[in-house]
Structure formats: C-alpha cells, structure tokens
Amino acid sequence: MLRQLKWSPLLDGFRGGPVTDRAALLDLLHRVAQLADAVPELAEMDLNPVIVTSAGVVAVEAKVRLDPRPADPDPYVLRLR
C-alpha cells in the first residue's frame, strides 16, 4: 500500500537524493497500529512531522488524545468512530 501513495516516489530518492529507509517507516506504522490495538482508550494520534532518512525514521512530535472507556466494556465488541 505504501507504493500506491502519491508521494511514494519521494521515498526512492528525490532528485538524486538518498533512498529512504522504507523498512523503518513500515516498522513505525506497524508499531502505531499495535499501540492502537493495545490501548483502547487511544482516540487520536498525530505524529507530525515524521522524518524518514536513509538512517531510519523519527517522529519529531506526537500528540495523543485519550478517551476514557466504561469500566467493563465487552471485549468482543469493537466500536469504530
């Protein structure tokens, strides 16, 4: 899916620049997805900017909004907003 993004060619070296570390970017995306699964109170997450270089990836700033859940939610029901 990453290759289908409009800006994906920028990851392959913009105007002769170095090729970025796609594996590190994918690892970041997987970790964010795992965090969202592990913390049901996580309502929003904003990583801005995310800098991808040939040496790895860095999220410079992260903003997180938590939404308290009821004490006994049904573990088998997922609610999407």
Side-chain angles (χ1 to χ4, degrees), residues 6-80:
K6 190 178 208 178
W7 51 265
S8 180
L10 296 176
L11 297 175
D12 295 327
F14 181 67
R15 295 187 180 173
V19 176
T20 59
D21 189 353
R22 282 182 181 262
L25 180 58
L26 288 174
D27 183 54
L28 174 69
L29 294 173
H30 288 185
R31 289 173 184 259
V32 168
Q34 288 174 344
L35 180 64
D37 283 342
V39 182
E41 295 85 8
L42 183 63
E44 292 179 20
M45 178 181 248
D46 180 23
L47 303 175
N48 189 19
V50 175
I51 300 173
V52 186
T53 65
S54 58
V57 64
V58 175
V60 176
E61 181 181 3
K63 294 179 184 177
V64 176
R65 186 175 68 83
L66 300 176
D67 186 20
R69 300 290 177 182
D72 293 316
D74 186 352
Y76 299 105
V77 176
L78 294 176
R79 291 183 174 87
L80 302 176

